[in-house]
Amino acid sequence: MLNAAIFASGNGSNFEALVNSNRVNIVLLVCNNENAYVIERAKKHDIEVMMLNYKDVSPLYNETLAYEVMKRKKVELILLAGFMKKLTPFLIGKYPKCILNIHPSLLPKYKGLNAVDQALEAGETEIGVTVHYVNKYLDDGKVIVQDSIDIKGLDVKDVYEKVHKKEHELYVEALDIVLEEFYE
Ligand code: GRF
């Protein structure tokens, strides 16, 4: 099985879904938030955690450190799952077509932070989730899979619940597509 690293900064429900999917061997969690619940999840699964401190050093420095660890652990795929820092061209260049991201909108609509809230504020009745390859722009790059969610009549809590459920399914679906291409 291919070795992968997950980069995440928060709760880590997507991290959990990816680990439990057993599609790839998750060998590393890269995290920039010491209070993130995803750290507990990684410990529970015995997955090494690498903390990056973006307060005192540059993103490039951090990515260089992460790259050294990923090289040692033979990481071939990077899965961004709620990582709240934009990658620099350095790491993107080291992993061409091998960095994926999940975003809770029908990209190219509603890029950036709080995408679901942006869509709700705009009065959308259909929102969605996208998994895409990462390029140097924010929430850009070739779409791997995208699916919509009908949210007519739902309250905000139910909308988020539906979005997360869809994310967990879609990220695994995207992995299957990417792995098939990888082994072609
Ligand atoms: C998800 O909504 C994902 O689409 C976005 O960040 C959130 C992470 O959620 N990029 P979780 O930490 O995986 O629960």
Side-chain angles (χ1 to χ4, degrees), residues 10-15 81-84 101-104 163-164 167-168:
N11 173 30
S13 68
N14 283 284
F15 172 93
F83 189 59
M84 302 308 279
N101 182 42
I102 186 157
H103 186 74
V163 167
H164 285 304
E167 284 185 332
H168 305 156

Side-chain angles (χ1 to χ4, degrees), residues 3-90:
N3 286 349
I6 297 180
F7 284 45
S9 310
N11 173 30
S13 68
N14 283 284
F15 172 93
E16 194 80 42
L18 290 166
V19 171
N20 291 334
S21 77
N22 280 320
R23 299 305 204 273
V24 285
N25 193 17
I26 309 292
V27 293
L28 183 70
L29 166 68
V30 176
C31 183
N32 68 312
N33 169 15
E34 58 187 20
N35 299 315
Y37 184 61
V38 68
I39 298 169
E40 304 306 316
R41 295 185 193 264
K43 285 184 183 158
K44 192 184 78 193
H45 288 287
D46 255 329
I47 292 170
E48 186 176 324
V49 179
M50 177 178 196
M51 295 303 299
L52 296 179
N53 173 359
Y54 279 80
K55 284 185 203 105
D56 305 317
V57 295
S58 70
L60 179 59
Y61 181 84
N62 272 331
E63 287 181 10
T64 309
L65 293 182
Y67 180 58
E68 288 309 316
V69 174
M70 289 193 288
K71 255 197 322 197
R72 172 169 60 78
K73 295 188 83 74
K74 301 192 173 9
V75 165
E76 292 182 87
L77 197 64
I78 297 177
L79 306 169
L80 305 184
F83 189 59
M84 302 308 279
K85 295 286 173 191
K86 191 165 170 273
L87 298 188
T88 78
F90 168 76

Side-chain angles (χ1 to χ4, degrees), residues 134-167:
V134 169
N135 65 14
K136 64 179 175 171
Y137 303 106
L138 187 67
D139 301 325
D140 204 82
K142 188 174 167 232
V143 171
I144 302 161
V145 275
Q146 183 170 71
D147 204 3
S148 58
I149 307 166
D150 182 357
I151 57 162
K152 261 188 258 56
L154 295 185
D155 65 25
V156 177
K157 186 176 154 282
D158 289 343
V159 169
Y160 272 94
E161 219 165 83
K162 271 204 162 187
V163 167
H164 285 304
K165 189 167 176 287
K166 178 68 76 185
E167 284 185 332

